[in-house]
Amino acid sequence: MSNLAERCRELAASAMKDGIANAALEVLRQYGYTGMTMERVADSAGVSKGSLYNYFRNKEELISFVFERIVEPAVQESQRIMAQPLGAVQKLEAMLRMLLEYFSQHRSLFDFLFHDAAIRELCMNSRRTKHDLATSQFESILRQGMQEGVFRPHEAKLAAEMLFGAVMFLIERQLELGERRPPEELVRHLLDVFLHGIRFSPSFPAGAE
Amino acid sequence: MSNLAERCRELAASAMKDGIANAALEVLRQYGYTGMTMERVADSAGVSKGSLYNYFRNKEELISFVFERIVEPAVQESQRIMAQPLGAVQKLEAMLRMLLEYFSQHRSLFDFLFHDAAIRELCMNSRRTKHDLATSQFESILRQGMQEGVFRPHEAKLAAEMLFGAVMFLIERQLELGERRPPEELVRHLLDVFLHGIRFSPSFPAGAE
Amino acid sequence: MSNLAERCRELAASAMKDGIANAALEVLRQYGYTGMTMERVADSAGVSKGSLYNYFRNKEELISFVFERIVEPAVQESQRIMAQPLGAVQKLEAMLRMLLEYFSQHRSLFDFLFHDAAIRELCMNSRRTKHDLATSQFESILRQGMQEGVFRPHEAKLAAEMLFGAVMFLIERQLELGERRPPEELVRHLLDVFLHGIRFSPSFPAGAE
Amino acid sequence: MSNLAERCRELAASAMKDGIANAALEVLRQYGYTGMTMERVADSAGVSKGSLYNYFRNKEELISFVFERIVEPAVQESQRIMAQPLGAVQKLEAMLRMLLEYFSQHRSLFDFLFHDAAIRELCMNSRRTKHDLATSQFESILRQGMQEGVFRPHEAKLAAEMLFGAVMFLIERQLELGERRPPEELVRHLLDVFLHGIRFSPSFPAGAE
DNA sequence: TATGAATGAGCGTTCATTCAT
DNA sequence: GATGAATGAACGCTCATTCAT
């Protein structure tokens, strides 16, 4: 039957959605979240305002789609990292570096991700928010570390949340204050604090990293 | 002369501002930041839209006022803590407990405070945002700890940001997931991780807290 | 009876109306017609907004009153001129000078006078607008001139209207273009044109003024 | 390609702008300048308020457009007259007749054009208001007359302003008083006064009209 | 009588969404 | 499917007017 035609159509539709999402991202970058109107998205995508509604039921759906597209590469990469045969510390390091590098790039996207409670609820996909994903991956790493015997026993879930919160806030502050510390440096400090703590312990070897 | 009348009027005006601010908070809770319209605030406050403008020049001013009202008690309390003659660890503990207790109360306020770039820029007081205040206080505590010799040398500013980010994210997750861990417990885990790190060090006495 | 009290009250009320009208004029000068709000008038008068309504039923009535007050001195002066035992040419000259001097002073008042059809209809007092008054006085002068035999026969009413229109437009243009020709000079040119015309007549003595 | 469609669209858009402008004029006629709200314009045009903004960026632009539409035909005609190979007197006559006929038609437009400072500032086209245009054209005619030797030396600019002011006021008064003198008659009287003046000169042939 | 807080209709403007073509 | 003009509800804000004190 029209199997082929069907395929073609789906492909074309998919390409169109991508194009529109990219346009939306561009608008986001230029005008920020509040300035992201359907008109501007349409213009930026080079299509008519009406066409947007052929591919997305409404603005909400477009936003959700964009959200997914922003997060997706990071998710992919994080899963790649998780799948690697690395020790917990190395995984942690790789994960932190990836997040810092990825989200440091675009302030407006970052704002977009956290903007509003309404949006956040919008962008949840089957109880699996970005937060959930990230923290659960951190949690996995922490558990792996405990099994490996390199991390001492602790509540992995809470520690994972602390880690993620710390990373995100670090990124946010960098952007907010206009600082440009190299991600590498931030990774080092994060690991230093989270692995060893900041307190002198009697037996803590001075100068040890 | 009309000293008394003057006083009364001021009091009434102040009460009105408070009432409107509370209404705004209620709207914020119900509809989120994007849904916080002057109309809704007026309705919620039980006054007319026009009356809002007898007490606040515009929406911006109202939002700033609300922001200040939310943050002020925490700021006061944090300054009280900072002024106490306590060791760094105790101060840290007190500060964490205060934040966890204070901000655990209202989810939407929390969103309001942190997740909107527009608000963030709006609510800066002479380059001194709430973030600035909180992180700089944490930073002070960390430096005090280094001077006291209880904290090992580290970049206090970054560590302060990590701490604050971790605390805030913990609160957010509690609210998001509907968990209700006692603040006391969260404080303990935060201190545990940040003071000692999660890694076994060769000399770290196993099982030690 | 309370004849005296009555009188006093009337006097006080009258003074109040005057004060408010002066305040309104000040506002008019500062903010123009569109910027003339009851709030500003009240502030400028040093009374409360509510008090305005004890002396004027509404904004319309206040505006009418102000209009009268602006026009009144000119009306008085014009009637004084009309009553003087002068020849038509001298009267004309005196009248023109008075108008030019009077209205050259305040641009915003002038705008106020002509602003809007609605206002114009508002400010008519028993079919006797400022225009009516002015043109009818010019008309009288022209008729007097014809009787004196110094003016040749012509339709006095139309000529009066031309004169008044010419004067007003001259004033308006001076204000609009920011020019500052001395009223004396303008009077001279007005008389020159209106008395002798601009055409050479065969018998017109060249160079004659 | 879509050349035709393009054309059609442009035509439709142009027609729409015209329709809206006409509606605006109607509102102007009915409610005066102060009463000209976008809502009323939309109602009068039979479209929604939002549609107005598809054709005019804002109220200002709409007003400017209306202004241009009113003035343009007169400007065209005046330029045609100026370009004709006529003597100064004939040009003057033609110009006066045109103005009287053109502006006699709509009172409210007239009000609109002249009596609002806000509009006046709005509708300036490169420092060249309608006033400027009209007076400068009168001025040209007067200078031409002086060169031709039919007008005696005089300050052409001031005289031009007087002429224009006189014409406009005549029109205004006709409309205000509900008189309906034929433009022809008004032209005759204007020329009579401005060309010959109203004063008897010794050599002025008595009885001449 | 003086007050000024409260009002609420109305303003210009925006923008997500629809629908006839 | 693509279009873009039309829509209309909603927004932030103003201000003449009222009324309890």
Side-chain angles (χ1 to χ4, degrees), chain B residues 28-174:
Chain B
L28 229 31
R29 253 186 282 272
Q30 264 187 55
Y31 300 95
Y33 176 68
T34 328
M36 180 196 162
T37 71
M38 294 303 264
E39 178 103 37
R40 284 211 250 253
V41 172
D43 283 357
S44 173
V47 300
S48 75
K49 211 175 8 168
S51 290
L52 262 38
Y53 291 86
N54 286 333
Y55 297 93
F56 300 95
R57 212 163 338 136
N58 49 34
K59 193 180 181 182
E60 230 180 84
E61 210 175 278
L62 168 57
I63 287 177
S64 279
F65 186 81
V66 170
F67 180 86
E68 295 294 336
R69 287 199 18 122
I70 295 176
V71 166
E72 200 197 315
V75 169
Q76 295 291 334
E77 182 62 15
S78 73
Q79 282 167 346
R80 210 184 53 75
I81 291 169
M82 292 303 288
Q84 283 178 336
L86 295 173
V89 175
Q90 283 95 340
K91 272 195 192 171
L92 193 53
E93 188 178 336
M95 194 72 92
L96 292 174
R97 182 176 298 111
M98 186 271 290
L99 285 177
L100 283 164
E101 279 169 355
Y102 186 74
F103 286 114
S104 290
Q105 289 163 17
H106 306 295
R107 165 58 190 265
S108 58
L109 309 192
F110 194 83
D111 277 344
F112 172 66
L113 286 179
F114 294 98
H115 291 314
D116 197 284
I119 287 210
R120 226 177 292 132
E121 283 167 27
L122 206 68
C123 301
M124 299 200 172
N125 221 340
S126 58
R127 297 292 317 140
R128 188 100 180 163
T129 68
K130 226 200 93 297
H131 288 180
D132 278 312
L133 184 60
T135 56
S136 71
Q137 287 179 338
F138 274 127
E139 195 182 331
S140 290
I141 297 176
L142 298 182
R143 287 193 195 289
Q144 177 188 336
M146 286 192 276
Q147 280 176 357
E148 291 171 357
V150 292
F151 294 163
R152 63 187 176 87
H154 62 280
E155 273 229 32
K157 188 173 172 242
L158 283 183
E161 287 171 0
M162 293 179 208
L163 252 172
F164 188 68
V167 174
M168 291 292 127
F169 193 73
L170 237 45
I171 296 171
E172 193 173 347
R173 287 293 280 179
Q174 292 286 306

Side-chain angles (χ1 to χ4, degrees), chain C residues 54-67:
Chain C
N54 286 330
Y55 298 94
F56 301 96
R57 213 167 336 138
N58 49 33
K59 197 183 181 181
E60 261 186 40
E61 211 175 277
L62 168 58
I63 286 177
S64 278
F65 188 81
V66 169
F67 180 86

Side-chain angles (χ1 to χ4, degrees), chain D:
Chain D
M1 274 165 297
S2 62
N3 221 344
L4 184 73
E6 182 85 6
R7 278 291 179 86
C8 282
R9 212 169 343 227
E10 268 175 35
L11 213 71
S14 176
M16 193 69 171
K17 284 185 89 161
D18 279 10
I20 291 171
N22 283 335
L25 279 174
E26 182 53 35
V27 171
L28 230 30
R29 253 186 282 273
Q30 265 188 55
Y31 300 95
Y33 175 69
T34 329
M36 181 194 160
T37 71
M38 294 304 264
E39 177 104 36
R40 283 211 250 253
V41 172
D43 283 357
S44 172
V47 300
S48 75
K49 211 173 11 164
S51 291
L52 262 37
Y53 291 85
N54 287 333
Y55 297 94
F56 301 95
R57 214 164 334 136
N58 49 36
K59 194 181 182 182
E60 229 181 85
E61 210 175 277
L62 169 57
I63 286 177
S64 280
F65 187 81
V66 170
F67 180 86
E68 295 294 335
R69 289 203 10 129
I70 295 175
V71 165
E72 199 197 316
V75 169
Q76 295 290 335
E77 183 62 14
S78 74
Q79 283 168 345
R80 209 183 54 73
I81 290 169
M82 293 303 288
Q84 281 179 337
L86 295 173
V89 175
Q90 283 96 339
K91 272 194 191 171
L92 194 52
E93 190 178 336
M95 195 72 93
L96 292 174
R97 183 176 297 111
M98 188 271 290
L99 284 176
L100 283 165
E101 280 170 355
Y102 186 75
F103 285 114
S104 292
Q105 287 163 18
H106 306 295
R107 166 59 190 265
S108 58
L109 308 193
F110 194 84
D111 277 345
F112 173 63
L113 288 178
F114 295 98
H115 290 317
D116 197 283
I119 287 210
R120 226 177 292 133
E121 281 166 29
L122 206 67
C123 299
M124 299 201 171
N125 222 341
S126 57
R127 296 292 317 139
R128 187 102 180 159
T129 70
K130 226 200 91 300
H131 288 179
D132 279 312
L133 185 61
T135 56
S136 72
Q137 286 179 338
F138 275 127
E139 196 182 332
S140 290
I141 295 175
L142 297 182
R143 288 194 194 289
Q144 177 187 335
M146 286 193 275
Q147 279 177 357
E148 291 171 357
V150 292
F151 294 164
R152 63 188 177 86
H154 63 278
E155 273 230 35
K157 191 176 171 237
L158 283 183
E161 288 171 359
M162 292 178 207
L163 251 171
F164 188 68
V167 174
M168 291 293 126
F169 193 73
L170 238 43
I171 295 172
E172 194 173 347
R173 286 293 279 179
Q174 291 286 305
L175 296 164
E176 200 167 283
L177 303 179
E179 293 185 7
R180 284 260 166 225
R181 291 184 188 239
E184 201 52 51
E185 190 189 333
L186 297 174
V187 171
R188 198 156 28 94
H189 284 99
L190 274 163
L191 284 177
D192 185 39
V193 168
F194 272 86
L195 292 182
H196 308 119
I198 55 174
R199 188 176 212 168
F200 268 129
S201 62
S203 49
F204 193 87
E209 208 264 344

Side-chain angles (χ1 to χ4, degrees), chain C residues 1 8 11 37 66 70 77 105 113 125-126 194-195 201:
Chain C
M1 274 164 295
C8 280
L11 212 71
T37 70
V66 169
I70 294 177
E77 181 62 14
Q105 286 165 18
L113 287 178
N125 215 344
S126 59
F194 273 86
L195 293 183
S201 61

